[in-house]
Amino acid sequence: MASPLLAVILSFFIPGLGQFYTGQMMKALVLFVLAVVFGGLSAFVIGIPFYILVWLYSMYDAYTAAKSA
C-alpha cells in the first residue's frame, strides 16, 4: 500500500516520481518529460506557469492515486 504523504513528497521534489512510486509508469514519464520541457522554456518566461501547473498536478495526482490504492 502506497503512502499518500510520501507520494506527494516525492512529486514535490521531482514531478512524476510520486506516480512512479504508485506504479503509474507511463503517467510518471509524461509528467517528468513535461516538467523538463517547461523547465527549459522557463528561460523564455512562458514555461514558468506551465511548469507550476505540471508540478501541482503531479502532487495532486500522486496523492489521489496513493490514497485510492
Side-chain angles (χ1 to χ4, degrees):
M1 183 158 177
S3 165
L5 181 60
L6 182 57
V8 170
I9 291 170
L10 291 172
S11 283
F12 176 82
F13 289 109
I14 300 174
L17 193 56
Q19 285 72 17
F20 181 80
Y21 169 70
T22 59
Q24 300 173 324
M25 304 307 170
M26 185 55 82
K27 191 181 282 187
L29 181 64
V30 169
L31 287 171
F32 179 75
V33 168
L34 284 173
V36 168
V37 168
F38 292 140
L41 288 175
S42 294
F44 303 106
V45 180
I46 188 79
I48 294 171
F50 292 115
Y51 179 84
I52 291 171
L53 286 174
V54 169
W55 180 60
L56 291 173
Y57 174 76
S58 176
M59 288 188 288
Y60 168 76
D61 183 65
Y63 177 81
T64 57
K67 194 170 182 179
S68 68

